[in-house]
Amino acid sequence: MTIRPELRLGRAVLGRAGRAAVLATGRAPVPDAIEPIVEAHRRHHPQADLPLLGRAYRTAEASHRGQLRKSGEPYITHPLAVTMILAQLGAETTTLVAALLHDTVEDTEMTLAQVAAEFGPEVAYLVDGVTKLEKVDFGAAAEAETFRKMLVATGDDVRVMVIKLADRLHNMRTIRHMKPASRLRIAKVTREVLIPLADRLGIQVLKAELEDIVFATLHPEEYARTRALIAAHEAEPDGLLAPFAAALTRQLAEAGVTAAVTVRPRHCVSLHRVLLKRAVAAAPRPADFGRLLVVVEENADCYAVLGELHTCWVPLPGEFKDFVAAPKFNLYQSLHTAVALPGGEVVEVLVRTRAMHRVAEYGVVALGDPHQPAEPQPEQAEGDRTDPARPGWLSRLLEWQQETPDPDTFWSALTADLSDDREITAVTECGETLQLPAGSSCVDAAYLLGEATGHRCLGARVNGRLVALSTVLGDGDVIAVLTEPVGGPAEPGGPSPEWLEHARTPGARLAIERWLAEHPEGAEQPGHAQRSEQPGQAQRPAAVPPGRADRATSPPAERPIAVAGRPGAPVRLSGCCTPVPPDEITGYAIRGGAVAVHRAGCADGAQLRAAGRSPEPVSWVPGANPGYRATLYAEALNRPRLLADLTAVISGEGLGIVSAAVEPPQELRVRHTYTVELPHPGALAAVMRAMLRVSGVYDVFRPGGGVRNGDDPVSSGVRPSGGMPGRATAL
């Protein structure tokens, strides 16, 4: 039976009612010490198993009897406070039972086996998950190994970390009783590990309070100044946010949208961050102290509210974010926007449903027991519920932690992984979703797809454009990872030491470091650090290199070109574009009465035309084969042995290499330039196709022809559809 607030009984009356219930039913009364917990718990779970809670409290109280905290209070006040925090979050009964018992195995004579016998294996698992490892056994590594143990346990049951966060919150509330050195150490660990974990689990109410306490502990002067600003603001009438909330409420009512509009004050750290974005001397504005929160019933109402906001007030460009259609990695959903009021003040507005609001505040706790079926939400389709027991970031963390047996390495990797509180979602061209920390590069995406994929990675295509492996991915990018073909002509070179500069995730870094340690000869190969041969060693035989129009090949012994009206005119095939039959060609008169022949579209030929040189009608002499030379560009993703593989392919096609040059690599991409002698004009297309089949080569083309895409295969080379690198595999 639900009791109306005006008829709610006081504690004394409840005590008498409880004793009367015992006489009538024979059930054990709820201990007075947990009555506030029971009241908070019943708000979320009216059918909770209260006798189980009472039994857990009595066991914890008996086990901790005689123990005191540093504050001088009985130790049992700590598990009671932790359990109260969880009850207020809406945690289910099993979590509350484990919270009451969470220190019994660590600090009393009670064993894990006894917990399992009295309360079941599920409670015992949660208690074991938050039990610290002994310094006697692990020494200085005890803290790192304790967190490793908790994270592994969290992988199977996320409630382990929820209990740990509530435990740390109460310890932070009483941190003033610790020694100064201990306060600083605990606050730093909380800042580096626990607060990011609270954010990743979406428990914003815990995160905000932890942030403020850590801020006060580590930066007491700045905290005091920020608190003074908040106190001064609260002492004055709200002349901005409250009137705007009232105006918005009226507007939504007129539009027929049922909504609750409230002012959501910023907590201390949130305000401090806002002020840091401005000049140091800038005074805070009234809008800095809070935002408007609009809570509606259904998803469609969110967009209705947005429409009213943007119609009646001026929206700020670039401030709208839709986390309803694309939730954050921590389950958060809301619409974010900002509007300018008539006075010029800018106010931020959040719009969400009631269900979204509960998840935004309480994160995975709002989803209930991860091992029980989810209660369907009105606006939530079947199968849309995110599994709280194994979020994407946690799966990645659990994978790489297995590869770091060293506690110091694990701790460094853990803090680095948690240092950024943002995450992005990328999608492969095959439709696979990749969850990555913000700032991740294509290297991280490659290793997320698998260690073997990462080791064979050559480059990537992002949003349809070929990019270097160092490219930082953005939220929503579509990526294809390009790899060495399996069983190709050459063994894959493996990762380069340079990749460590671009790897953001611990999983990628650890895999690269492990490969380099196992293949020291690979890391020491000439040019491996740059994934290229040394450009300074490029060979240029004494032959005509590609150059300007006046740097032409020698006149061939057999005349290949006929000049209309000038049968005896000397002809030079220009070295800038190296024409070869059946290229479309144009001739230009140059000094000495000769005619320089360029491919149609050649930039140097266009310059001659612009300089006033009149075109000469020229044509190929059928059957003539004086020994043509052609210059080819090969663009590739850099790797060891690329120069050797390309020259081998060219020689294998029966062509002589007149000159070869390698330009300095640009972000793991490189261009090779070859001038070759053709046994016959038809050999040009064949050699270009062969070069394109070399692993890592994504384009082979000829210079000076103007358009590279869309030309015939002989004129511009063979390029796979969509610009896909030859023989590269897209994942």
Side-chain angles (χ1 to χ4, degrees):
M1 181 179 67
T2 303
I3 302 174
R4 298 196 304 271
E6 62 268 24
L7 299 179
R8 186 165 295 161
L9 300 176
R11 179 173 296 187
V13 180
L14 284 173
R16 291 194 295 272
R19 286 190 290 274
V22 172
L23 295 175
T25 65
R27 294 179 183 174
V30 174
D32 290 347
I34 65 169
E35 279 186 3
I37 295 172
V38 169
E39 184 178 352
H41 188 40
R42 270 186 160 167
R43 293 195 198 105
H44 301 280
H45 304 277
Q47 305 301 321
D49 186 354
L50 300 183
L52 181 62
L53 271 179
R55 188 154 54 90
Y57 166 72
R58 293 186 186 93
T59 301
E61 194 280 328
S63 300
H64 290 295
R65 191 172 296 158
Q67 294 179 343
L68 299 176
R69 286 173 61 80
K70 292 188 182 297
S71 62
E73 298 174 305
Y75 195 91
I76 191 62
T77 59
H78 172 64
L80 282 172
V82 172
T83 308
M84 185 62 182
I85 292 170
L86 294 170
Q88 292 170 334
L89 293 177
E92 33 67 57
T93 306
T94 303
T95 304
L96 301 192
V97 170
L100 285 168
L101 301 170
H102 79 274
D103 275 339
T104 54
V105 174
E106 181 181 330
D107 295 330
T108 75
E109 298 299 321
M110 194 171 190
T111 65
L112 201 60
Q114 290 173 322
V115 173
E118 293 187 36
F119 300 96
E122 190 175 358
V123 171
Y125 183 85
L126 298 178
V127 172
D128 182 47
V130 296
T131 299
K132 295 177 185 175
L133 299 175
E134 295 289 343
K135 285 189 177 181
V136 174
D137 299 323
F138 290 87
E143 185 171 42
E145 292 301 330
T146 294
F147 272 102
R148 187 202 298 267
K149 172 174 171 277
M150 289 180 188
L151 288 168
V152 172
T154 300
D156 290 326
D157 197 323
V158 75
R159 293 174 295 180
V160 171
M161 191 55 65
V162 173
I163 295 172
K164 176 60 183 178
L165 290 170
D167 171 64
R168 179 54 61 95
L169 176 57
H170 183 249
N171 284 332
M172 292 300 291
R173 286 174 177 174
T174 58
I175 197 172
R176 63 186 180 279
H177 300 292
M178 303 292 291
K179 295 179 181 178
S182 298
R183 288 202 297 267
L184 295 177
R185 178 183 60 81
I186 294 171
K188 288 179 180 178
V189 172
T190 302
R191 179 187 62 189
E192 294 172 0
V193 178
L194 273 304
I195 289 175
L197 285 172
D199 184 47
R200 278 162 164 70
L201 294 177
I203 314 176
Q204 295 301 313
V205 290
L206 291 188
K207 177 197 172 193
E209 188 172 352
L210 285 172
E211 283 182 330
D212 283 356
I213 299 174
V214 167
F215 187 32
T217 304
L218 299 180
H219 307 283
E221 294 182 359
E222 293 182 38
Y223 174 81
R225 283 196 295 267
T226 309
R227 281 300 312 167
L229 290 173
I230 294 175
H233 175 74
E234 291 174 346
E236 299 176 357
D238 186 353
L240 178 70
L241 296 179
F244 178 46
L248 180 57
T249 301
R250 290 191 299 270
Q251 181 62 38
L252 295 177
E254 292 176 5
V257 180
T258 303
V261 184
T262 57
V263 176
R264 186 175 178 84
R266 291 187 184 274
H267 64 100
C268 199
V269 170
S270 179
L271 175 61
H272 183 68
R273 288 175 181 148
V274 170
L275 299 179
L276 285 179
K277 293 179 181 178
R278 303 223 193 94
V280 178
R285 299 193 289 256
D288 295 337
F289 291 91
R291 297 177 286 186
L292 254 59
L293 173 63
V294 183
V295 179
V296 296
E297 296 298 329
E298 299 179 359
N299 284 15
D301 293 337
C302 294
Y303 297 96
V305 171
L306 184 70
E308 294 298 321
L309 276 166
H310 288 187
T311 300
C312 301
W313 290 274
V314 179
L316 264 66
E319 293 296 323
F320 171 65
K321 297 180 180 66
D322 189 347
F323 296 118
V324 173
K328 289 186 178 182
F329 66 93
N330 60 0
L331 315 180
Y332 177 87
Q333 288 182 286
S334 285
L335 297 180
H336 288 205
T337 189
V339 295
L341 303 187
E345 286 282 359
V346 175
V347 177
E348 296 181 41
V349 184
L350 314 178
V351 187
R352 59 179 73 137
T353 66
R354 294 186 187 279
M356 293 175 191
H357 180 60
R358 177 164 168 72
V359 174
E361 294 294 288
Y362 307 131
V364 295
V365 181
L367 301 180
D369 185 345
H371 303 296
Q372 296 295 327
E375 297 179 5
Q377 300 293 340
E379 70 275 10
Q380 189 177 40
E382 187 69 25
D384 283 351
R385 179 173 182 261
T386 301
D387 179 11
R390 187 59 71 90
W393 63 266
L394 182 56
S395 296
R396 294 197 312 272
L397 192 151
L398 293 173
E399 288 171 6
W400 65 253
Q401 70 84 23
Q402 298 175 357
E403 309 296 334
T404 53
D406 178 64
D408 292 336
T409 303
F410 165 75
W411 188 254
S412 299
L414 176 64
T415 54
D417 189 73
L418 297 174
S419 62
D420 198 321
D421 60 356
R422 296 180 300 112
E423 188 162 296
I424 63 168
T425 300
V427 182
T428 69
E429 292 184 354
C430 299
E432 184 177 353
T433 299
L434 307 179
Q435 300 287 344
L436 292 159
S440 295
S441 68
C442 296
V443 173
D444 299 298
Y447 279 95
L448 185 58
L449 290 169
E451 188 168 314
T453 300
H455 288 343
R456 293 189 296 111
C457 180
L458 292 172
R461 186 168 57 246
V462 176
N463 301 327
R465 296 181 59 189
L466 193 73
V467 299
L469 286 174
S470 59
T471 301
V472 175
L473 296 172
D475 198 28
D477 280 348
V478 178
I479 180 173
V481 175
L482 310 173
T483 62
E484 288 270 9
V486 178
E491 289 297 320
S496 161
E498 259 190 357
W499 291 11
L500 291 171
E501 300 176 10
H502 314 308
R504 167 74 174 80
T505 58
R509 295 186 62 83
L510 293 169
I512 295 169
E513 290 170 349
R514 184 167 55 252
W515 191 94
L516 294 175
E518 293 171 356
H519 301 80
E521 71 286 352
E524 295 170 3
Q525 287 178 6
H528 186 86
Q530 291 87 20
R531 302 278 284 178
S532 70
E533 295 81 4
Q534 295 296 329
Q537 298 175 356
Q539 301 174 357
R540 286 187 178 270
V544 179
R548 298 185 55 83
D550 56 350
R551 298 175 64 184
T553 57
S554 300
E558 184 178 355
R559 187 178 297 276
I561 300 292
V563 182
R566 298 178 60 186
V571 175
R572 298 175 181 243
L573 298 179
S574 298
C576 57
C577 56
T578 57
V580 174
D583 290 341
E584 185 179 348
I585 53 177
T586 302
Y588 296 93
I590 57 176
R591 291 187 300 270
V595 175
V597 178
H598 293 260
R599 291 168 58 202
C602 175
D604 284 6
Q607 290 180 2
L608 289 173
R609 183 192 297 265
R613 304 288 179 92
S614 58
E616 299 278 352
V618 294
S619 60
W620 295 106
V621 175
N625 185 20
Y628 294 101
R629 290 180 177 179
T631 298
L632 302 177
Y633 288 158
E635 291 189 347
L637 302 167
N638 214 4
R639 63 174 177 84
R641 293 183 51 81
L642 179 61
L643 178 62
D645 291 346
L646 280 169
T647 54
V649 163
I650 295 171
S651 299
E653 292 293 321
L655 277 67
I657 301 176
V658 178
S659 67
V662 180
E663 297 180 10
Q666 299 290 329
E667 294 187 333
L668 304 183
R669 291 178 291 183
V670 70
R671 173 183 287 185
H672 289 213
T673 303
Y674 299 94
T675 299
V676 296
E677 286 187 341
L678 304 173
H680 55 85
L684 180 59
V687 74
M688 294 176 75
R689 292 189 180 95
M691 293 171 67
L692 194 56
R693 287 194 293 268
V694 172
S695 178
V697 177
Y698 58 83
D699 199 4
V700 177
F701 61 99
R702 297 168 59 197
V707 180
R708 282 166 52 180
N709 294 327
D711 289 353
D712 64 273
V714 175
S715 299
S716 64
V718 182
R719 187 183 180 93
S721 61
M724 186 172 176
R727 296 200 62 193
T729 305
L731 299 177

